[in-house]
């Protein structure tokens, strides 16, 4: 039981790691923590990192996400300024201790003091949560007995290391100092490979001629890692990447109304709206992000905006106020 601890688009756009200039001044414990790309659109730019433990980053406003055609958190500029005046930005999942399982995608309570349904991986740099049985079946797919025992232990509070931290091919660990041993991490599920172990059907370029494999791997986007979409996720040919996963945030108003702890959680999902493919321009927008001010404690942004990762047709429309960030 090694993973368990003992304690209780014009589609191919190059993006360079050197373009990332992280400006978070308040993150003293680990200044380089937080995701390099937005949790909604998997693109960089003017993003804000959550200090609540999930380690995700977001485009807060339509302006912040326009170069990525991101649906964003739907805040107005004034709402974003109010958030950035605070020392910390806490996303609603962390605020209300309700997180999605990275395996099944369902929302569950992560409150360790009462009624916990999803548990966080023990790795300090991992923000993923899982239902006990979901992670147990991933770690022990060939043994129902071991998976069942592990699920019981996780539910009882035993810490675990999730599948993201071992290569799906060789089961080896990550070594960021050795380029061949750097991890290639799927954005949609807990599937990871070493660079040297990447299957041939997860290529860095779209095949030409007789080879028609679509690009599934991108270098220079994540720090010391490769961004991939593994073969479990269908690549939409017209878009060049999979359709985006839904993020679910707790509805604060409905949570307050629910007095019965057994009541199903009322959820709010970022809408999946699409528009026809826009082939009018193959060049991504390169307008600069808003200038950071002295109160921008949590902002992480690119000194030169990254190219859009996918065409507008893949992204949800901005939906101002859809997440109710300031109404609770």
């Amino acid at each position: 039981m090694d993973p368990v601890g003992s304690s209780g688009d014009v589609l191919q756009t190059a993006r360079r790691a050197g373009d990332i200039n992280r400006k978070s001044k308040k993150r003293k414990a680990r200044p380089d923590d937080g995701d390099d790309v937005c949790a909604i659109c998997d693109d960089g730019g003017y993003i804000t990192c959550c200090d609540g433990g999930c380690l995700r980053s977001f485009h807060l406003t339509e302006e912040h996400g326009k170069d990525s055609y991101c649906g964003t958190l739907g805040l107005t500029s004034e709402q974003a300024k109010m958030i950035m005046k605070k020392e910390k930005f806490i996303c609603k999942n962390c605020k209300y201790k309700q997180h999605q399982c990275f395996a099944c995608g369902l929302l569950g309570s992560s409150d360790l003091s009462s009624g916990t349904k999803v548990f966080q991986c023990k790795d300090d740099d991992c923000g993923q949560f899982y239902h006990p049985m979901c992670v147990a079946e991933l770690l022990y797919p060939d043994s129902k007995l071991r998976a069942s025992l592990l699920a019981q232990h996780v539910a009882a509070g035993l810490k675990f290391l999730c599948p993201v931290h071992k290569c799906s091919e060789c089961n080896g660990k990550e070594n960021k100092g050795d380029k061949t041993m750097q991890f290639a991490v799927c954005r949609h599920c807990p599937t990871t490979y070493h660079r040297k172990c990447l299957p041939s059907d997860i290529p860095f370029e779209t095949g030409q001629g007789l080879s028609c494999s679509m690009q599934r791997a991108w270098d220079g986007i994540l720090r010391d890692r490769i961004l991939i979409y593994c073969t479990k996720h269908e690549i939409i040919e017209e878009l060049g990447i999979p359709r985006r996963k839904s993020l679910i945030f707790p509805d604060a108003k409905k949570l307050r109304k629910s007095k019965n702890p057994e009541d199903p959680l009322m959820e709010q999902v970022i809408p999946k709206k699409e528009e026809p493919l826009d082939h009018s321009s193959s060049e991504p927008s390169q307008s600069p992000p808003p200038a950071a001010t002295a109160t921008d404690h949590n902002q992480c942004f690119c000194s030169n905006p990254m190219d859009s990762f996918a065409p507008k047709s893949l992204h949800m429309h901005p939906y101002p106020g859809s997440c109710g960030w300031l109404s609770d």
Side-chain angles (χ1 to χ4, degrees), residues 4 34 151 183 236 284:
V4 183
F183 271 171
I236 307 302

Side-chain angles (χ1 to χ4, degrees), residues 147-188:
S148 178
L149 290 173
L150 175 57
Q152 294 177 37
H153 290 314
V154 171
L158 191 66
K159 297 184 181 299
F160 64 93
L161 194 66
C162 81
V164 170
H165 306 287
K166 68 174 184 178
C167 176
S168 298
E169 180 67 24
C170 71
N171 292 325
K173 297 180 180 179
E174 181 178 29
N175 181 359
K176 293 183 179 180
D178 181 349
K179 188 173 182 178
T180 66
M181 296 291 285
Q182 290 175 350
F183 271 171
V185 183
C186 183
R187 292 292 297 181
H188 282 194

Side-chain angles (χ1 to χ4, degrees), residues 17-55:
D19 287 339
I20 299 174
N21 183 13
R22 304 178 67 82
K23 295 291 185 180
S24 177
K25 298 180 180 179
K26 289 292 182 181
R27 308 177 70 81
K28 297 178 181 179
R30 299 198 311 276
D32 291 328
D33 64 358
D35 202 353
D36 292 319
V37 294
C38 174
I40 298 172
C41 68
D42 295 340
D43 209 344
Y46 200 74
I47 55 177
T48 301
C49 310
C50 175
D51 290 285
C54 71
L55 304 181

Side-chain angles (χ1 to χ4, degrees), residues 250-265:
D251 188 321
K253 294 179 180 178
K254 293 180 179 179
L255 280 173
R256 288 197 195 97
K257 292 179 181 179
S258 177
K259 297 181 180 180
N260 184 352
E262 298 301 322
D263 285 349
L265 180 67

Side-chain angles (χ1 to χ4, degrees), residues 240-279:
I241 57 177
R243 299 200 182 276
R244 290 181 177 167
K245 59 185 182 295
S246 294
L247 296 186
I248 306 175
F249 298 106
D251 188 321
K253 294 179 180 178
K254 293 180 179 179
L255 280 173
R256 288 197 195 97
K257 292 179 181 179
S258 177
K259 297 181 180 180
N260 184 352
E262 298 301 322
D263 285 349
L265 180 67
M266 305 305 293
E267 303 168 354
Q268 185 161 350
V269 185
I270 290 183
K272 289 184 177 179
K273 292 186 178 181
E274 298 179 2
E275 57 188 46
L277 284 173
D278 181 4
H279 296 293

Side-chain angles (χ1 to χ4, degrees), residues 102-152:
F102 192 40
C104 71
L106 296 180
L107 198 66
S109 172
S110 55
D111 187 349
L112 296 178
S113 66
S114 175
T116 315
K117 298 297 183 183
V118 293
F119 297 80
Q120 190 170 12
C121 172
K122 72 176 184 178
D123 190 285
D124 290 338
D125 295 320
C126 184
Q128 304 300 347
F129 292 78
Y130 300 85
H131 292 107
M133 185 53 73
C134 286
V135 72
E137 290 178 343
L138 287 171
L139 292 173
Y140 297 109
D142 300 323
S143 175
K144 292 184 179 180
L145 176 60
R146 297 183 76 182
S148 178
L149 290 173
L150 175 57
Q152 294 177 37

